Amino acid sequence: VQLQASGGGLVQAGGSLRLSCAASGRTFSRYVVGWFRQAPGKEREFVAAMTWDDNTYYADSVKGRFTISRDNAKNTVDLQMNSLKPEDTAVYYCAAGSTRVIRTARTYDYWGQGTQVTVSS
């Protein structure tokens, strides 16, 4: 599976961005798809994930502000990010796999290249 993340950019605090992760080579529909982020000098951290049967999981820091969704027809998984804060600034990565340890990055098999999100104060 090849993953391509897009939609990052520069936004002011309180603004919104929508990230998209497109898959090629294999359908998303039977995988867990997750979003992770990595800020400079920090470890990669879990943001959100959706299972093949549409259960969703969020990090406490983004719950109520971010929404993950899947479009099986387009083979994409999006991350709608609202009420953005400067601390959301990071490179965001999408990942896919058959993991059962959804919040742990190393358990995912496939990764996109990352897209930069910068939130100014």
Side-chain angles (χ1 to χ4, degrees), residues 27-104:
T27 180
F28 265 147
S29 63
R30 301 301 293 181
Y31 287 114
V32 174
V33 181
W35 284 95
F36 291 79
R37 65 188 182 188
Q38 189 165 17
K42 295 188 176 181
E43 293 189 355
R44 193 167 297 188
E45 65 173 0
F46 171 77
V47 176
M50 176 174 274
T51 63
W52 66 272
D53 55 352
D54 293 342
N55 290 314
T56 56
Y57 301 83
Y58 296 95
D60 288 344
S61 59
V62 307
K63 200 172 294 183
R65 300 188 297 121
F66 291 11
T67 303
I68 189 171
S69 60
R70 181 199 300 266
D71 187 330
N72 286 332
K74 296 180 179 179
N75 213 23
T76 59
V77 173
D78 290 354
L79 184 68
Q80 177 66 41
M81 306 186 297
N82 298 328
S83 302
L84 282 161
K85 305 175 181 180
E87 51 264 43
D88 295 318
T89 295
V91 177
Y92 283 69
Y93 299 88
C94 62
S98 302
T99 179
R100 294 186 178 184
V101 190
I102 289 171
R103 298 173 188 267
T104 302

